Amino acid sequence: MTSPVALREKAETQAARLPALLARAEHLAGAVLLGDHGRRRAGMGDDFWQYRPAQLGDSRRMIDHRRSAMGDVQFVREREWQIAQSVILWVDQGASMNFASTKDLTTKAERARVLALACAILLVRGGERVGLTGTRLPPRRGNMQVMRLAEMFSEDADEDYAPPEHRAMVPHARALFISDFMGDIEAVRTALTKAADRGVRGVLLHVLDPAEEAFPFRGRTVFQSMGGTLEHETLKASDLKDRYLERLAERKAELQHLCSVAGWSYGLHHTDTSAQSGLLWIWRALDGGRART
């Protein structure tokens, strides 16, 4: 059992991360220019959407006489109905995400959390409901929800590889999963299958450190998982390179296949590239925040 002192120290450590994480996410979100947001349909909103020719059954009060006076056809002034979407997020908080190959690079965890929170900020500003997969934080609107997300993104999981959370997926929502996907591929398969069954469409962002792509290791090397549960020592690390790269390529291909079957978008992001490029890709993959039909 965790002692009260240790629990308080952990809580203070987590709380200290929030201002910096929020600041980075706000700055990143500010770099993305937002146009009109949400899916527009004719309805009972207050904002003008479009003119259309009057049809049988339209009341005379709906006719816009100024627009109709410009020609021989009577026009109706339709207004818009903004349908808020639910967007559910999953960010891998396993120990493997805390890896960075050099002190000049951000960890995969830091990049994933900033990208997810910046995306949440943009979605909330657009009137969307945002939450986490599972039952801990259902989708809601508002700045308080962003604070709750920041708190939860600042937590670390105990295991080396955290499986995607697939419980309580909101039917017909959108989703964003961010991870290095180094763990069990079956857990990803299960999550995407359940998502597809519920009509959830989304984006899977595969985050890797550049060293995980290049495998620059030579000579005697000790490979150890970030959580310390796995360890392998070799005298000729370079002999492992081809086999490692082959397995990495297989993992990417499998993720792409799973996304294709589920109707999701797959993206690859490296921590030595800009966070802004990652956020822009996510935003475009989510179709500018609009649900694809």
Side-chain angles (χ1 to χ4, degrees), residues 15-275:
R17 299 179 186 177
L18 294 184
L21 176 60
L22 277 170
R24 284 192 289 272
E26 285 278 5
H27 178 74
L28 184 57
V32 176
L33 296 178
L34 284 178
D36 288 340
H37 189 74
R39 182 168 54 185
R40 289 187 167 189
R41 291 181 181 172
M44 300 302 293
D46 293 327
D47 297 326
F48 170 72
W49 183 45
Q50 69 175 4
Y51 290 112
R52 65 165 174 81
Q55 300 171 353
L56 185 65
D58 290 335
S59 70
R60 294 189 63 84
R61 289 183 301 174
M62 296 174 63
I63 296 173
D64 189 286
H65 296 286
R66 180 176 298 180
R67 175 65 180 85
S68 300
M70 298 172 64
D72 298 328
V73 179
Q74 290 186 320
F75 283 90
V76 168
R77 180 184 178 93
E78 287 191 321
R79 300 183 183 278
E80 70 176 349
W81 176 30
Q82 297 278 38
I83 305 177
Q85 299 292 320
S86 289
V87 184
I88 49 178
L89 311 174
W90 175 71
V91 176
D92 187 345
Q93 291 166 276
S96 70
M97 294 291 287
N98 291 320
F99 175 72
S101 57
T102 72
K103 63 180 181 180
D104 297 324
L105 286 175
T106 183
T107 65
K108 293 179 289 184
E110 175 68 18
R111 179 58 56 85
R113 293 167 182 180
V114 168
L115 287 174
L117 191 58
C119 188
I121 290 169
L122 292 176
L123 290 165
V124 165
R125 286 178 182 172
E128 310 286 37
R129 295 184 294 265
V130 185
L132 298 178
T133 53
T135 58
R136 292 186 66 195
L137 189 64
R140 294 189 181 92
R141 301 184 184 90
N143 291 328
M144 280 304 300
Q145 185 75 342
V146 172
M147 282 295 300
R148 296 186 189 101
L149 286 167
E151 290 174 7
M152 293 187 178
F153 286 158
S154 297
E155 298 173 358
D156 291 318
D158 294 329
E159 63 263 53
D160 273 318
Y161 308 106
E165 173 62 80
H166 54 73
R167 294 173 299 167
M169 285 196 180
V170 180
H172 307 294
R174 286 169 293 152
L176 170 63
F177 284 14
I178 308 180
S179 172
D180 59 8
F181 297 102
M182 293 289 191
D184 181 14
I185 192 67
E186 290 305 316
V188 182
R189 189 190 311 278
T190 297
L192 292 191
T193 299
K194 289 195 173 184
D197 289 344
R198 286 181 165 266
V200 176
R201 296 293 179 266
V203 174
L204 185 152
L205 187 66
H206 192 185
V207 177
L208 293 175
D209 184 278
E212 293 173 326
E213 288 275 24
F215 199 85
F217 310 104
R218 297 177 178 274
R220 181 179 180 274
T221 306
V222 177
F223 296 98
Q224 187 178 63
S225 65
M226 295 300 295
T229 60
L230 301 172
E231 184 176 305
H232 176 74
E233 182 177 354
T234 179
L235 297 177
K236 294 183 178 180
S238 57
D239 289 350
L240 301 176
K241 182 173 183 176
D242 290 344
R243 192 175 3 155
Y244 166 82
L245 292 178
E246 181 180 348
R247 293 189 64 180
L248 179 60
E250 290 173 355
R251 176 55 56 96
K252 291 178 184 177
E254 182 67 11
L255 291 171
Q256 290 173 338
H257 173 70
L258 291 176
C259 286
S260 177
V261 171
W264 283 42
S265 297
Y266 169 86
L268 179 63
H269 179 76
H270 299 119
T271 55
D272 61 342
T273 60
S274 72

